[in-house]
Amino acid sequence: MIKTEEIPNLENSNFSTKVIKDIAQNILSFLKSNCTKEGHTYWLFKASGSDIVKLYDLTTLCEETEDKYQNPFTMPVAILLYKVACNMMMKKNQNKKHYGTIRTLLLNCVKLLDKSRHPQIIASANYMLSELFQLDEPKKEESSESPLNENSDESYSEEEEELADSDENGSYGTGSDPSDDNKAVAIIKSVGELSVPEKYKSIHQIRPSCTFPVCHDTEERCRLVLSYVLEGLKSVDSSIKKESDLPAADPNTPIPLKYEDESTRGGPEGLEKQMALFLDKMGSLQKGNYSSQSGMIPGSWQHKMKLQLILKSSKAYYVLSDAAMSLQKYGRALRYIKLALQSHDTYCCLCTNMLSEVLLFLSQYLTLCGDIQLMLAQNANNRAAHLEEFNYQTKEDQEILHSLHRESPCQGFAWATDLSTDLESQLSVSCKCYEAANEILQFSDLKSQNPEHYVQVLKRMGNIRNEIGVFYMNQAAALQSERVVSKSVSTAEQQLWKKSFSCFEKGIHNFESIDDATNAALLLCNTGRLMRICAQAHCGAGDEFKREFSPEEGLYYNKAVDYYLKALRSLGTRDIHPAVWDSVNWELSTTYFTMATLQQDYAPLSRKAQEQIEKEVSEAMMKSLKHCDVDSVSARQPLCQYRAATIHHRLASMYHSCLRNQVGDEHLRKQHRVLADLHYSKAVKLFQLLKDAPCELLRVQLERVAFAEFQMTSQNSNVGKLKTLSGALDIMVRTKHAFQLIRKELVEEFDQPKSDESAPAADPSPGLSREEVIKLLSIFESRLSFLLLQSIKLLSSTKKKTSNTEEDVVLKTNKQIYSQLLRATANRNSTLLERIDVLIQLLDQLARGGSGGQ
């Protein structure tokens, strides 16, 4: 190997580099001055043994010929343009600004050649043209200062530019020399002149138009690529056989599906079979399994070129599909990904040795196809528009598909690209796409080479399995709601539970395998919800009054608790994802609460002792409270406060009931009394924070009064009884807040029909039950009447024994209030609002006058 710069110094090969440079500069200047007609082909000719160099304009000389392809110089020039473009393309550090030049060279090359005579060069040139447009990178042409539009002739140096800027005239007269040739454009009389420094100079610069088209969007760029791919495919196809030699394949006629017998329209079983066939095919590709329908010879230029063109078309359709997906045009996106997969399927049929890079593309295509199918499932409302976009096809797409059909039926991925109208089928297809994408990554160690894509595929698999799990779970819940209570769980329900559980389990495994704790927690949470649905389905059949909390209910509720606790363990701390943490906590609290409520309302006394049930209820309620955050300010805070208040109310009621039914053990009675009082107080505090629970607040206060009354029955001294009565009346006074809230809602209810005549008059406020208010009001009136009467009796009896001015005032007030209350309750014509107004007024008087010897 000899370096170029060493050649002049070789033995017996000495020559002046300056002379070489002078000759080169003179020839270039001569050409620049005389080759001035754009689009014309020139020939610089020196006959063997002659000293004269002549320049001919071949375009002008050959205009007389009828067939432009008969021009003997067309082919060499086309080949020259092609080779220069090839060399420029091959350069590793090729600057994009040269793409304009390459494109011009290739377009001119294609223009010069006869398609029928030179299909290989035309196909190759079109492929190179398609390669100029980057599909996998964001375009930067618009942001830069159009570097692509500059001239980029590699042979044009800075020194030559200096020469070009010279003012000397560079035209050459041919005069009347005998060596003149009237057909030559210009003549160099002697080659010796070329070694004279700066003998020829030129001010005429050739600046051919080598602009590179600026594509304003992805679709435009891809469409240009596909137009070149199509021209290339046409060249390849025309060189194999004439169209008439092949069976007709009209792109407008649907080709029979490969798997028609295997239940093509969706069922999961049909999908499974198609997936198995597809994966078998992928496995055989590793070994090489060539099957071309057109009779192409493996290794021929047609075979190699068609593979490259088909791969390019699949990439372009994939980019188009991704762009349509971003625009939420899901029907269009599915059409493009279908074409991408059809291209890829044909590539697979022709390929003798599958590259891992191409398998990665397929995994990406299937992942996008899964995304599109999922979005179509979630946007069923717009199905007609999506269907219309899916069925539309351009002439270009039809012709490309026609070329693909020459090699393959293009049905390898038909299972993935159907536009189904059935939600379950769409979700199932989406899942199969992700599973196939994942299976492909197991080939050729693609998983470890592309960790980011692998993580994305597993995330999507986890997500779609969650979607399908929720779908089956909701179906099971719907079946349950339709079922008559007395009937046992149907087989259909159980099958749906199994399907749902299986999907959640697989999804959890997907997320755990990529350490996605948050999503794993969400799926564990959904599994907990499924367990609760199973528990609800097993609620005791038969008569409501005979119903008991069944062992199956307990089993499933405890399973739900386990899954929620696993979800919390998966998250670790609230900081990881506060919203998910709070959601799981709330669901866990709900499960404990439901379990405790059912055990309390439908106590399984046939299986357990009362004390055991009370203990389990108390434990479950306290656990529910533990996971119920009443302090944090959030949208869920009022719900948490209501839940906590209800728990305290239920616990207080339970201890109150225990106290009533218990005999003997004084220590335990005292403990229950303290606990009942504590929980009643907490329930009241929490209900008072809420504006939309006045009936609940009133009910708790009435139970507290009943609790005081019960305590009074066991008291012997008048002083003790008076003290308890005073406390009970004090509770009555504090119910004023609840009555004010009820009054406010009633007033709003009465005002509503006036402002909106069309509004229904019956129960416009769903938050307040009129029947419940009437019932509670009647109880309240009777209890207040009873307490006032007892207070009057006790105060009257103590007055005889002692003289106490304060007690006298209380007695007088209580008598007045009692009298007014009797008159009010006796009046049958009073409206609900009037009765409430009277009570609020009486409670005010009671608050001012004292309620009995405080």
Side-chain angles (χ1 to χ4, degrees):
M1 295 288 283
I2 298 166
K3 288 187 177 179
T4 307
E5 58 266 29
E6 290 172 3
I7 294 172
N9 305 319
L10 292 176
E11 194 178 344
N12 301 324
S13 177
N14 294 48
F15 60 86
S16 167
T17 53
K18 188 177 183 304
V19 170
I20 297 293
K21 186 181 175 185
D22 288 341
I23 291 169
Q25 279 186 342
N26 280 322
I27 289 173
L28 193 62
S29 296
F30 175 78
L31 290 173
K32 281 182 181 176
S33 295
N34 295 289
C35 302
T36 55
K37 293 181 180 177
E38 195 171 332
H40 281 224
T41 302
Y42 291 87
W43 180 28
L44 189 65
F45 175 74
K46 175 186 168 293
S48 180
S50 170
D51 209 24
I52 300 166
V53 181
K54 298 175 184 177
L55 180 72
Y56 295 98
D57 180 349
L58 296 177
T59 307
T60 307
L61 289 175
C62 298
E63 270 175 355
E64 297 82 26
T65 61
E66 288 180 16
D67 182 359
K68 68 168 182 174
Y69 300 122
Q70 285 180 5
N71 183 335
F73 304 101
T74 302
M75 182 66 182
V77 171
I79 292 292
L80 175 66
L81 296 174
Y82 174 76
K83 283 185 175 175
V84 172
C86 273
N87 290 336
M88 290 177 80
M89 283 285 279
M90 295 289 278
K91 288 189 179 176
K92 285 181 183 175
N93 303 322
Q94 181 63 58
N95 191 317
K96 279 190 184 178
K97 73 177 185 179
H98 301 305
Y99 282 9
T101 304
I102 296 169
R103 180 172 173 271
T104 306
L105 289 167
L106 291 170
L107 288 174
N108 285 333
C109 165
V110 170
K111 218 182 281 179
L112 288 169
L113 293 174
D114 180 355
K115 288 181 182 179
S116 61
R117 292 179 195 173
H118 308 289
Q120 185 175 358
I121 297 171
I122 288 175
S124 184
N126 275 297
Y127 174 69
M128 281 199 286
L129 281 165
S130 75
E131 279 288 280
L132 293 173
F133 296 86
Q134 297 297 309
L135 294 175
D136 50 353
E137 293 173 18
K139 55 191 182 299
K140 296 171 188 170
E141 293 98 54
E142 294 94 310
S143 56
S144 62
E145 294 178 10
S146 303
L148 301 180
N149 299 345
E150 296 172 16
N151 178 37
S152 51
D153 190 342
E154 289 291 308
S155 61
Y156 196 77
S157 69
E158 286 177 20
E159 284 184 32
E160 286 157 12
E161 285 204 5
E162 286 168 21
L163 287 171
D165 291 337
S166 164
D167 290 335
E168 289 183 37
N169 192 340
S171 57
Y172 309 98
T174 54
S176 55
D177 196 278
S179 59
D180 284 358
D181 182 337
N182 60 0
K183 287 186 178 178
V185 175
I187 292 172
I188 296 171
K189 292 173 186 175
S190 168
V191 286
E193 291 179 2
L194 293 173
S195 56
V196 178
E198 299 187 21
K199 169 73 177 172
Y200 295 101
K201 289 185 179 179
S202 168
I203 55 165
H204 187 97
Q205 291 189 44
I206 302 171
R207 283 283 187 264
S209 172
C210 294
T211 55
F212 193 73
V214 175
C215 298
H216 296 289
D217 61 19
T218 306
E219 185 150 5
E220 194 181 336
R221 193 160 70 249
C222 291
R223 278 286 158 209
L224 265 172
V225 168
L226 289 168
S227 69
Y228 294 130
V229 166
L230 177 57
E231 289 305 314
L233 287 171
K234 282 179 178 176
S235 292
V236 173
D237 292 342
S238 68
S239 74
I240 301 166
K241 282 182 182 177
K242 298 296 173 206
E243 294 288 337
S244 57
D245 299 339
L246 282 164
D250 180 4
N252 297 314
T253 309
I255 289 174
L257 293 185
K258 204 173 186 176
Y259 308 116
E260 196 116 46
D261 301 333
E262 311 274 13
S263 157
T264 52
R265 280 308 297 175
E269 295 79 10
L271 265 182
E272 291 290 350
K273 287 176 185 173
Q274 291 176 29
M275 271 285 291
L277 283 168
F278 158 68
L279 290 171
D280 281 348
K281 181 178 176 182
M282 294 316 299
S284 69
L285 285 172
Q286 299 292 294
K287 303 161 199 161
N289 185 19
Y290 179 80
S291 61
S292 164
Q293 291 179 180
S294 69
M296 267 196 307
I297 300 159
S300 64
W301 75 262
Q302 288 104 327
H303 176 245
K304 290 175 184 172
M305 182 49 61
K306 193 153 190 178
L307 272 176
Q308 293 300 319
L309 289 165
I310 288 170
L311 190 61
K312 192 73 183 178
S313 74
S314 76
K315 286 184 194 174
Y317 283 127
Y318 168 71
V319 174
L320 280 169
S321 180
D322 193 44
M325 181 77 168
S326 304
L327 297 170
Q328 298 180 352
K329 302 285 185 186
Y330 305 123
R332 188 192 307 175
L334 186 63
R335 166 162 54 91
Y336 284 137
I337 204 67
K338 181 176 183 175
L339 286 161
L341 286 167
Q342 285 175 318
S343 299
H344 206 289
D345 189 34
T346 308
Y347 184 93
C348 293
C349 289
L350 297 178
C351 189
T352 51
N353 182 29
M354 184 67 74
L355 298 169
S356 60
E357 179 198 15
V358 178
L359 281 173
L360 178 63
F361 290 149
L362 180 55
S363 180
Q364 289 168 342
Y365 299 171
L366 285 165
T367 305
L368 179 59
C369 190
D371 292 348
I372 296 163
Q373 289 284 13
L374 176 57
M375 294 317 294
L376 284 165
Q378 291 176 347
N379 291 272
N381 301 342
N382 223 358
R383 187 167 278 143
H386 295 317
L387 188 63
E388 190 179 337
E389 284 184 335
F390 176 68
N391 289 326
Y392 172 79
Q393 213 165 38
T394 65
K395 187 173 186 295
E396 195 174 66
D397 293 339
Q398 286 175 353
E399 289 182 1
I400 288 173
L401 199 53
H402 185 46
S403 178
L404 299 177
H405 283 154
R406 289 170 61 94
E407 311 302 335
S408 142
C410 300
Q411 293 300 317
F413 300 96
W415 55 270
T417 53
D418 263 352
L419 179 51
S420 174
T421 53
D422 173 56
L423 179 59
E424 183 182 355
S425 175
Q426 283 176 318
L427 292 172
S428 186
V429 167
S430 178
C431 186
K432 295 297 171 198
C433 286
Y434 296 137
E435 284 173 7
N438 183 44
E439 285 290 334
I440 289 161
L441 291 177
Q442 312 306 318
F443 295 119
S444 308
D445 200 28
L446 281 169
K447 184 169 76 172
S448 56
Q449 291 167 17
N450 303 277
E452 284 180 21
H453 177 58
Y454 176 64
V455 167
Q456 284 304 313
V457 170
L458 280 186
K459 268 196 175 182
R460 283 165 161 81
M461 275 169 71
N463 178 54
I464 191 67
R465 282 168 170 165
N466 178 50
E467 291 280 342
I468 298 171
V470 169
F471 171 78
Y472 288 135
M473 179 166 67
N474 290 341
Q475 277 199 324
L479 275 182
Q480 188 182 307
S481 64
E482 290 164 12
R483 174 164 49 89
V484 182
V485 178
S486 58
K487 283 196 177 178
S488 57
V489 180
S490 66
T491 314
E493 274 179 82
Q494 290 176 329
Q495 287 302 315
L496 288 167
W497 295 343
K498 283 178 186 173
K499 285 181 179 178
S500 180
F501 181 75
S502 172
C503 289
F504 288 142
E505 207 171 31
K506 287 175 183 172
I508 291 162
H509 176 69
N510 292 146
F511 286 126
E512 284 177 347
S513 66
I514 53 170
D515 299 323
D516 189 340
T518 306
N519 279 315
L522 284 169
L523 264 76
L524 284 162
C525 197
N526 276 340
T527 314
R529 189 175 143 217
L530 175 66
M531 294 301 115
R532 280 160 62 191
I533 286 171
C534 295
Q536 286 161 21
H538 282 97
C539 70
D543 190 356
E544 183 74 7
F545 297 105
K546 292 177 186 173
R547 195 197 143 185
E548 283 192 359
F549 182 71
S550 67
E552 291 81 11
E553 282 179 277
L555 175 74
Y556 281 113
Y557 277 123
N558 281 314
K559 279 187 177 180
V561 165
D562 289 342
Y563 282 111
Y564 290 130
L565 290 171
K566 274 184 192 172
L568 290 178
R569 282 198 296 275
S570 174
L571 289 169
T573 60
R574 187 176 183 271
D575 304 337
I576 302 290
H577 204 302
V580 177
W581 177 273
D582 292 345
S583 178
V584 175
N585 252 318
W586 172 253
E587 295 300 331
L588 181 54
S589 169
T590 303
T591 308
Y592 278 128
F593 176 71
T594 308
M595 196 158 49
T597 304
L598 289 170
Q599 276 187 287
Q600 194 175 10
D601 294 348
Y602 307 103
L605 292 166
S606 64
R607 292 183 291 113
K608 294 179 182 177
Q610 180 73 39
E611 292 78 9
Q612 177 66 20
I613 294 167
E614 285 164 6
K615 186 186 172 191
E616 286 178 13
V617 168
S618 174
E619 283 175 0
M621 287 291 192
M622 294 315 288
K623 283 176 182 173
S624 180
L625 266 179
K626 179 188 166 188
H627 293 283
C628 188
D629 182 7
V630 292
D631 301 318
S632 299
V633 178
S634 68
R636 200 181 267 130
Q637 191 184 23
L639 280 175
C640 290
Q641 288 170 337
Y642 186 88
R643 162 80 49 79
T646 307
I647 289 170
H648 285 301
H649 178 199
R650 278 184 162 270
L651 284 172
S653 297
M654 187 179 79
Y655 292 125
H656 184 176
S657 175
C658 291
L659 201 58
R660 280 179 181 279
N661 301 327
Q662 226 167 30
V663 189
D665 196 340
E666 194 53 44
H667 172 71
L668 200 59
R669 283 175 65 81
K670 187 181 178 185
Q671 196 179 1
H672 283 162
R673 191 182 296 118
V674 170
L675 285 170
D677 199 43
L678 172 74
H679 287 297
Y680 275 134
S681 301
K682 287 184 175 179
V684 168
K685 276 181 189 170
L686 286 162
F687 276 132
Q688 280 176 336
L689 294 172
L690 300 163
K691 291 177 183 175
D692 55 354
C695 290
E696 287 86 343
L697 177 56
L698 192 53
R699 198 180 296 110
V700 175
Q701 295 288 42
L702 284 169
E703 278 191 33
R704 286 180 81 191
V705 169
F707 183 59
E709 286 179 21
F710 173 71
Q711 285 177 290
M712 203 166 68
T713 57
S714 60
Q715 289 173 321
N716 298 319
S717 71
N718 284 355
V719 175
K721 284 184 178 180
L722 266 175
K723 190 176 178 185
T724 306
L725 268 174
S726 171
L729 283 167
D730 196 35
I731 291 167
M732 287 294 204
V733 168
R734 284 193 226 140
T735 57
K736 180 184 156 188
H737 174 65
F739 281 118
Q740 284 173 331
L741 288 174
I742 291 169
R743 186 186 186 282
K744 187 184 171 191
E745 284 201 44
L746 287 170
V747 169
E748 285 171 4
E749 183 182 318
F750 287 131
D751 288 348
Q752 199 172 352
K754 292 174 190 172
S755 57
D756 184 5
E757 293 301 325
S758 62
D763 196 21
S765 172
L768 199 66
S769 165
R770 184 177 281 271
E771 291 76 16
E772 191 178 11
V773 172
I774 293 168
K775 184 182 168 186
L776 288 169
L777 190 59
S778 300
I779 297 169
F780 187 87
E781 287 169 344
S782 73
R783 293 339 292 155
L784 181 57
S785 174
F786 172 78
L787 290 174
L788 287 168
L789 183 59
Q790 292 302 313
S791 169
I792 291 163
K793 282 180 182 178
L794 281 170
L795 285 170
S796 298
S797 65
T798 53
K799 187 185 174 191
K800 292 171 185 173
K801 297 172 187 175
T802 58
S803 179
N804 188 326
T805 316
E806 192 179 330
E807 284 186 0
D808 290 347
V809 174
V810 171
L811 179 60
K812 188 183 174 186
T813 307
N814 286 2
K815 279 182 177 178
Q816 285 175 352
I817 294 167
Y818 181 64
S819 171
Q820 288 176 51
L821 181 60
L822 285 176
R823 280 200 298 274
T825 50
N827 185 2
R828 300 283 179 190
N829 299 323
S830 299
T831 63
L832 186 57
L833 204 55
E834 285 168 350
R835 285 171 70 187
I836 290 170
D837 284 337
V838 168
L839 274 180
I840 291 171
Q841 186 192 336
L842 293 178
L843 291 173
D844 273 339
Q845 287 180 43
L846 197 59
R848 285 197 302 272
S851 48
Q854 296 147 44

